[in-house]
Amino acid sequence: MNEDFDPDDNNSTDDPPIERRRYFGLEQAVFILLVVLSLLGIAITEFNPHDGYGYWLFMVIVFGILSIFVSWLQTKTNENDFGDIVKAQGLHWLHTLVVVIAAALLNKSEQLSDRSASLVILLILALATMLDGIRIGWQYSLLGFFLATCALIVAYFENFMPISIGLGVLVTACTFLWEYWRSKYSTDDEN
């Protein structure tokens, strides 16, 4: 990781509040999109496990691209070098993709069932997302925990979709509440 890169820079209170809120809105939209795509993947996995593991394989690419996009937004409000961030994230998501392809190959060799492969890939994606949260912000770490929890919910509950959707709503609401609380108290501190 780049020594000059500070993960808390994207939360700096030195930025103009309007610009910070605008980028938070875009980051929040990406976060909500990833939660919705994750819930869609969980539903696909239930109805067609074979398509489910292919979907999760594709989602690694989507998560990687959207992570780079969020990092690009963050470079607009701090002094981090976008090239360094793209290099670090590109390697991170490439390595994740390699491990996910290995899990898919285990499925092809019939070492893992389609459903098991989907859950393994979901857990790999959860870990990669949590670790990416170190670079780009706590929301990605929270998203990774959401994915890991959903994998456990799928494994332990027969009727897992309502629970997963409820968790997705809760996680999304928590991000809005946290930003509201943070912006309220950072404004109070400035006065």
Side-chain angles (χ1 to χ4, degrees):
M1 190 153 90
N2 185 353
E3 293 175 0
D4 297 331
F5 182 70
D6 181 4
D8 291 330
D9 277 352
N10 61 349
N11 296 325
S12 172
T13 57
D14 295 338
D15 302 323
I18 294 171
E19 184 175 345
R20 211 173 50 242
R21 271 186 256 138
R22 183 180 67 186
Y23 290 128
F24 173 77
L26 286 172
E27 288 179 35
Q28 188 69 13
V30 169
F31 177 82
I32 292 169
L33 175 65
L34 291 174
V35 168
V36 169
L37 290 174
S38 298
L39 290 170
L40 178 64
I42 291 167
I44 289 171
T45 300
E46 174 59 19
F47 293 114
N48 189 342
H50 181 73
D51 290 342
Y53 90 87
Y55 179 86
W56 290 116
L57 200 128
F58 177 70
M59 287 308 295
V60 170
I61 297 166
V62 172
F63 271 62
I65 290 169
L66 290 175
S67 295
I68 292 170
F69 172 71
V70 168
S71 294
W72 174 72
L73 289 175
Q74 292 174 354
T75 61
K76 293 182 165 292
T77 60
N78 61 35
E79 297 168 5
N80 295 332
D81 180 39
F82 182 63
D84 290 342
I85 293 171
V86 169
K87 181 180 173 185
Q89 284 196 321
L91 287 172
H92 172 83
W93 289 103
L94 178 65
H95 290 122
T96 302
L97 187 60
V98 167
V99 175
V100 165
I101 289 171
L105 291 174
L106 288 175
N107 173 264
K108 291 286 184 198
S109 70
E110 298 181 2
Q111 299 298 312
L112 291 174
S113 69
D114 287 340
R115 184 178 171 116
S116 296
S118 294
L119 291 177
V120 167
I121 291 171
L122 179 55
L123 285 173
I124 294 166
L125 182 59
L127 176 62
T129 306
M130 281 183 225
L131 293 174
D132 202 28
I134 294 168
R135 276 190 289 276
I136 62 176
W138 63 272
Q139 283 182 304
Y140 265 73
S141 292
L142 182 62
L143 183 60
F145 282 108
F146 165 73
L147 293 172
T149 304
C150 282
L152 293 173
I153 290 169
V154 168
Y156 283 99
F157 293 94
E158 188 173 323
N159 192 10
F160 56 82
M161 275 312 294
I163 300 168
S164 297
I165 290 169
L167 181 62
V169 169
L170 177 67
V171 163
T172 303
C174 285
T175 62
F176 279 110
L177 290 173
W178 175 259
E179 180 60 20
Y180 170 77
W181 178 80
R182 192 180 70 76
S183 67
K184 180 181 178 193
Y185 286 104
S186 69
T187 304
D188 290 345
D189 290 344
E190 291 171 4
N191 293 332

